[in-house]
Amino acid sequence: MQEPFDVEVGPITYAVFPEGNDTYTIFKNGKEYIQILKDTSSIWLKLDYKTELPIFEEDEEVNAIGAAIASYTPQEEDEEE
């Protein structure tokens, strides 16, 4: 499991906590903010807090955070476990 790390998007620093399966919990200003899921290499989805299902609507902030995560984490080949 990957260790938590910080990413910067513009003037904002987000704390990123990897949850596995391309899912991340994002903290903003020291508080839990959102959960996001990598959908494709350039599309990221926000997860609904209650159902943990993806919300299929474009969100520029979520995609910007996702892009920062993608550039921070090394690209790994799909691994069978």
Side-chain angles (χ1 to χ4, degrees):
M1 178 70 76
Q2 201 177 7
E3 294 293 316
F5 57 93
D6 291 342
V7 295
E8 290 184 15
V9 177
I12 301 170
T13 299
Y14 298 92
V16 178
F17 286 75
E19 304 292 341
N21 297 327
D22 288 329
T23 302
Y24 300 84
T25 299
I26 309 300
F27 287 75
K28 180 178 178 181
N29 299 325
K31 296 182 180 172
E32 189 170 334
Y33 181 53
I34 53 175
Q35 273 196 308
I36 65 173
L37 169 69
K38 183 178 183 180
D39 186 38
T40 67
S41 62
S42 61
I43 303 294
W44 292 72
L45 302 172
K46 184 171 20 177
L47 297 179
D48 183 280
Y49 268 118
K50 293 178 182 167
T51 65
E52 294 188 357
L53 294 173
I55 299 169
F56 291 97
E57 59 186 47
E58 185 95 10
D59 187 313
E60 287 185 29
E61 182 182 27
V62 169
N63 280 332
I65 295 167
I69 291 169
S71 67
Y72 179 88
T73 57
Q75 297 300 319
E76 298 172 349
E77 297 297 318
D78 288 21
E79 297 176 8
E80 298 291 325
E81 289 187 14

